[in-house]
Amino acid sequence: MKRFKYADERISERDIMIAIPSIVIGVGILSMPKQLASVTKGADGWIPLLLGGLFAVFISWAIAKFASGFQGQTFLTYASKIVTKPVAIVLSLMFAILSIFVTAYQIRKISNISQQYLFDRTPIEVIALPFLLVVVYAVSGSRAGLFRINMMFMPIILSIALIIVVFNVGWLNAGNLMPVLQTPITGYTQVIANTGAISYLGFGILWFYLSLVDKPKKAPKAAALGMCIPVGLYMMIFIMCIGVFGNAVTSNLLYPTIELAKVVEIPGGFFERFESVFFVIWIMAIFITATMAMDIGIFALNAIFKNTEKLKIIFILTPIIYFVGMFPRDVMEVDLIGSIMSWLMLILNITVLILLTVVAKIRGVKRNE
């Protein structure tokens, strides 16, 4: 069977707007309400969610604004002009390594969740393997095809999330949202440190995918609008979890969002177990996140090793991703690795943005504006 190739690998600013929420919305939203509720009172967790979201929107705009000034140039190309090629290669390798860890983390998390809710007698290793193979199949094809998948899946994912919110309104108890603004400052700082801006990681794809955009000048606005989607969705899901379950119960649920889907009752009894539908749809979201993360790693390595075929890189990375994903022994270790990885990714993106901006100003590197 021959792989289908699109006429070109170019994408529009609309594709970028959809790609941002596609990579951000994944396994994080399933456990995010628990992490927020455990250190805040009432529904106060929406405050750090909003602050972290605004920060993520600004960083997304700033990265897209900078990268769009080098139209048609890959990250390695314009970074080499600014900070020399050896430094650019190191930065690209760092993005590739962290992308591999993100892919492994997503695969391990979906395997843990699938084992808990669907395949309780199936080993984690067996669950993870077919999911990884599907991801590998997706990244083996056209890169533009991934953005077509985003355009197809994202409306379905957002629709199922909105259905959960709408059909849980009847169960919402306004008293569970109280007290208001009673969380101490240490609680807010702890939330921001653990789940604030980290919940919205994904803007790093802009360093690489902006080189494929036809009209890069429109990309900064599109990237910022795209990041607003997960910000609004996260806040709605969190407030609904607190309103339905209360702060104490939410903080003791492993995956509050899935439990929220269990509460949904479709009029007429059309669906008896709506959470099964939600889980199937949400696998799409996690699949997209894992696929784009792996593709970024391949993109970065392909730019460094230009004479190496894409498929060879994929075949080398696949067992590495599988081994990294299976390395943690339990859920606690998986979450710890995810937190460390998220912080490293956040620090890397901000460092690269500041470094390239400052050095470009000092050296007078011209942009295509």
Short mmCIF file of all heavy atoms in Angstrom, two decimals, residues 48-79:
data_model
loop_
_atom_site.label_atom_id
_atom_site.label_comp_id
_atom_site.label_asym_id
_atom_site.label_seq_id
_atom_site.Cartn_x
_atom_site.Cartn_y
_atom_site.Cartn_z
N PRO A 48 -6.07 30.67 39.17
CA PRO A 48 -4.79 30.30 38.56
C PRO A 48 -4.95 29.70 37.17
O PRO A 48 -4.04 29.84 36.34
CB PRO A 48 -4.21 29.27 39.55
CG PRO A 48 -5.37 28.79 40.34
CD PRO A 48 -6.31 29.94 40.43
N LEU A 49 -6.10 29.05 36.91
CA LEU A 49 -6.34 28.54 35.56
C LEU A 49 -6.39 29.69 34.56
O LEU A 49 -5.81 29.61 33.46
CB LEU A 49 -7.64 27.76 35.51
CG LEU A 49 -7.60 26.24 35.69
CD1 LEU A 49 -8.99 25.66 35.53
CD2 LEU A 49 -6.63 25.59 34.74
N LEU A 50 -7.07 30.77 34.95
CA LEU A 50 -7.19 31.94 34.07
C LEU A 50 -5.85 32.64 33.91
O LEU A 50 -5.45 32.99 32.79
CB LEU A 50 -8.23 32.91 34.63
CG LEU A 50 -8.43 34.21 33.84
CD1 LEU A 50 -8.88 33.90 32.42
CD2 LEU A 50 -9.43 35.11 34.54
N LEU A 51 -5.13 32.82 35.03
CA LEU A 51 -3.83 33.50 34.96
C LEU A 51 -2.84 32.71 34.13
O LEU A 51 -2.12 33.25 33.28
CB LEU A 51 -3.28 33.71 36.38
CG LEU A 51 -4.07 34.68 37.27
CD1 LEU A 51 -3.45 34.75 38.66
CD2 LEU A 51 -4.12 36.06 36.65
N GLY A 52 -2.81 31.38 34.37
CA GLY A 52 -1.92 30.54 33.57
C GLY A 52 -2.33 30.54 32.11
O GLY A 52 -1.47 30.51 31.22
N GLY A 53 -3.64 30.59 31.86
CA GLY A 53 -4.11 30.62 30.48
C GLY A 53 -3.74 31.91 29.77
O GLY A 53 -3.33 31.88 28.61
N LEU A 54 -3.87 33.03 30.45
CA LEU A 54 -3.48 34.32 29.84
C LEU A 54 -1.99 34.35 29.54
O LEU A 54 -1.56 34.87 28.50
CB LEU A 54 -3.86 35.47 30.78
CG LEU A 54 -5.36 35.71 30.98
CD1 LEU A 54 -5.59 36.81 32.01
CD2 LEU A 54 -6.04 36.06 29.66
N PHE A 55 -1.20 33.79 30.46
CA PHE A 55 0.24 33.70 30.22
C PHE A 55 0.53 32.84 28.99
O PHE A 55 1.38 33.19 28.15
CB PHE A 55 0.93 33.11 31.46
CG PHE A 55 2.40 32.87 31.29
CD1 PHE A 55 3.29 33.93 31.33
CD2 PHE A 55 2.89 31.60 31.09
CE1 PHE A 55 4.66 33.72 31.18
CE2 PHE A 55 4.25 31.37 30.95
CZ PHE A 55 5.14 32.44 30.98
N ALA A 56 -0.18 31.71 28.87
CA ALA A 56 0.02 30.81 27.73
C ALA A 56 -0.40 31.49 26.42
O ALA A 56 0.25 31.30 25.38
CB ALA A 56 -0.77 29.52 27.93
N VAL A 57 -1.48 32.27 26.47
CA VAL A 57 -1.93 33.00 25.28
C VAL A 57 -0.86 34.00 24.84
O VAL A 57 -0.54 34.11 23.64
CB VAL A 57 -3.26 33.73 25.56
CG1 VAL A 57 -3.59 34.70 24.42
CG2 VAL A 57 -4.39 32.72 25.73
N PHE A 58 -0.28 34.71 25.82
CA PHE A 58 0.76 35.69 25.49
C PHE A 58 2.00 35.01 24.91
O PHE A 58 2.56 35.47 23.90
CB PHE A 58 1.14 36.48 26.74
CG PHE A 58 2.36 37.36 26.54
CD1 PHE A 58 2.27 38.53 25.79
CD2 PHE A 58 3.59 37.00 27.07
CE1 PHE A 58 3.39 39.33 25.59
CE2 PHE A 58 4.71 37.78 26.87
CZ PHE A 58 4.61 38.95 26.13
N ILE A 59 2.45 33.90 25.52
CA ILE A 59 3.63 33.20 25.03
C ILE A 59 3.38 32.66 23.63
O ILE A 59 4.26 32.70 22.75
CB ILE A 59 4.04 32.07 25.99
CG1 ILE A 59 4.50 32.65 27.33
CG2 ILE A 59 5.14 31.22 25.39
CD1 ILE A 59 5.75 33.50 27.24
N SER A 60 2.18 32.14 23.40
CA SER A 60 1.84 31.62 22.07
C SER A 60 1.92 32.73 21.03
O SER A 60 2.48 32.54 19.94
CB SER A 60 0.43 31.01 22.08
OG SER A 60 0.34 29.95 22.99
N TRP A 61 1.36 33.89 21.38
CA TRP A 61 1.42 35.03 20.46
C TRP A 61 2.86 35.47 20.22
O TRP A 61 3.26 35.74 19.08
CB TRP A 61 0.60 36.19 21.04
CG TRP A 61 0.69 37.44 20.21
CD1 TRP A 61 -0.09 37.77 19.14
CD2 TRP A 61 1.63 38.51 20.37
NE1 TRP A 61 0.31 38.98 18.62
CE2 TRP A 61 1.36 39.46 19.35
CE3 TRP A 61 2.67 38.75 21.27
CZ2 TRP A 61 2.10 40.63 19.22
CZ3 TRP A 61 3.40 39.92 21.14
CH2 TRP A 61 3.12 40.84 20.13
N ALA A 62 3.66 35.52 21.29
CA ALA A 62 5.04 36.00 21.17
C ALA A 62 5.89 35.05 20.32
O ALA A 62 6.67 35.50 19.47
CB ALA A 62 5.66 36.13 22.56
N ILE A 63 5.74 33.73 20.53
CA ILE A 63 6.50 32.77 19.73
C ILE A 63 6.09 32.85 18.26
O ILE A 63 6.94 32.87 17.36
CB ILE A 63 6.30 31.34 20.26
CG1 ILE A 63 6.94 31.20 21.64
CG2 ILE A 63 6.90 30.31 19.31
CD1 ILE A 63 6.71 29.84 22.30
N ALA A 64 4.77 32.90 18.01
CA ALA A 64 4.28 32.98 16.64
C ALA A 64 4.72 34.29 15.97
O ALA A 64 5.06 34.30 14.79
CB ALA A 64 2.76 32.85 16.61
N LYS A 65 4.72 35.38 16.75
CA LYS A 65 5.15 36.67 16.21
C LYS A 65 6.61 36.64 15.80
O LYS A 65 6.98 37.15 14.73
CB LYS A 65 4.92 37.76 17.27
CG LYS A 65 5.26 39.18 16.82
CD LYS A 65 4.29 39.68 15.78
CE LYS A 65 4.55 41.12 15.40
NZ LYS A 65 3.64 41.59 14.32
N PHE A 66 7.44 36.01 16.63
CA PHE A 66 8.87 35.94 16.31
C PHE A 66 9.11 35.01 15.13
O PHE A 66 9.81 35.37 14.17
CB PHE A 66 9.65 35.46 17.53
CG PHE A 66 11.14 35.40 17.32
CD1 PHE A 66 11.92 36.53 17.53
CD2 PHE A 66 11.75 34.23 16.89
CE1 PHE A 66 13.30 36.49 17.31
CE2 PHE A 66 13.12 34.19 16.68
CZ PHE A 66 13.89 35.32 16.89
N ALA A 67 8.55 33.80 15.19
CA ALA A 67 8.81 32.80 14.14
C ALA A 67 8.23 33.21 12.80
O ALA A 67 8.78 32.86 11.75
CB ALA A 67 8.26 31.44 14.57
N SER A 68 7.13 33.97 12.81
CA SER A 68 6.50 34.37 11.55
C SER A 68 7.36 35.37 10.79
O SER A 68 7.13 35.60 9.59
CB SER A 68 5.12 34.98 11.83
OG SER A 68 5.24 36.16 12.62
N GLY A 69 8.33 35.97 11.46
CA GLY A 69 9.23 36.90 10.79
C GLY A 69 10.24 36.22 9.89
O GLY A 69 10.97 36.89 9.15
N PHE A 70 10.31 34.88 9.94
CA PHE A 70 11.25 34.13 9.12
C PHE A 70 10.45 33.18 8.23
O PHE A 70 10.46 31.96 8.41
CB PHE A 70 12.24 33.35 9.99
CG PHE A 70 13.04 34.23 10.91
CD1 PHE A 70 12.60 34.50 12.20
CD2 PHE A 70 14.23 34.79 10.49
CE1 PHE A 70 13.34 35.31 13.05
CE2 PHE A 70 14.98 35.61 11.33
CZ PHE A 70 14.53 35.88 12.62
N GLN A 71 9.74 33.77 7.29
CA GLN A 71 8.81 33.02 6.45
C GLN A 71 9.51 31.93 5.65
O GLN A 71 10.52 32.15 4.99
CB GLN A 71 8.08 33.96 5.49
CG GLN A 71 7.03 33.28 4.64
CD GLN A 71 6.23 34.28 3.82
OE1 GLN A 71 6.48 35.48 3.88
NE2 GLN A 71 5.27 33.80 3.05
N GLY A 72 8.95 30.71 5.74
CA GLY A 72 9.48 29.59 4.97
C GLY A 72 10.76 28.99 5.52
O GLY A 72 11.29 28.05 4.93
N GLN A 73 11.27 29.51 6.63
CA GLN A 73 12.51 29.00 7.20
C GLN A 73 12.21 28.11 8.40
O GLN A 73 11.37 28.44 9.24
CB GLN A 73 13.41 30.15 7.64
CG GLN A 73 13.82 31.09 6.51
CD GLN A 73 14.76 32.19 6.99
OE1 GLN A 73 15.68 31.93 7.74
NE2 GLN A 73 14.50 33.41 6.54
N THR A 74 12.90 26.99 8.49
CA THR A 74 12.73 26.10 9.63
C THR A 74 13.38 26.69 10.87
O THR A 74 14.19 27.63 10.78
CB THR A 74 13.34 24.72 9.35
OG1 THR A 74 14.77 24.86 9.18
CG2 THR A 74 12.74 24.11 8.09
N PHE A 75 13.05 26.13 12.02
CA PHE A 75 13.62 26.61 13.28
C PHE A 75 15.15 26.52 13.25
O PHE A 75 15.84 27.46 13.67
CB PHE A 75 13.08 25.77 14.44
CG PHE A 75 13.74 26.07 15.76
CD1 PHE A 75 13.43 27.20 16.49
CD2 PHE A 75 14.71 25.21 16.28
CE1 PHE A 75 14.04 27.48 17.70
CE2 PHE A 75 15.32 25.47 17.49
CZ PHE A 75 14.99 26.61 18.20
N LEU A 76 15.68 25.42 12.75
CA LEU A 76 17.13 25.25 12.70
C LEU A 76 17.78 26.29 11.81
O LEU A 76 18.87 26.80 12.12
CB LEU A 76 17.47 23.84 12.21
CG LEU A 76 18.96 23.48 12.17
CD1 LEU A 76 19.56 23.51 13.57
CD2 LEU A 76 19.18 22.11 11.52
N THR A 77 17.11 26.65 10.71
CA THR A 77 17.68 27.61 9.76
C THR A 77 17.82 29.00 10.37
O THR A 77 18.91 29.58 10.37
CB THR A 77 16.81 27.69 8.48
OG1 THR A 77 16.71 26.40 7.89
CG2 THR A 77 17.42 28.66 7.48
N TYR A 78 16.73 29.54 10.91
CA TYR A 78 16.84 30.91 11.43
C TYR A 78 17.53 30.95 12.80
O TYR A 78 18.17 31.95 13.13
CB TYR A 78 15.49 31.62 11.46
CG TYR A 78 14.41 31.06 12.35
CD1 TYR A 78 14.43 31.25 13.72
CD2 TYR A 78 13.32 30.38 11.81
CE1 TYR A 78 13.42 30.76 14.55
CE2 TYR A 78 12.31 29.88 12.61
CZ TYR A 78 12.36 30.07 13.98
OH TYR A 78 11.36 29.59 14.79
N ALA A 79 17.44 29.88 13.58
CA ALA A 79 18.19 29.86 14.83
C ALA A 79 19.69 29.82 14.57
O ALA A 79 20.48 30.39 15.33
CB ALA A 79 17.77 28.65 15.67
#
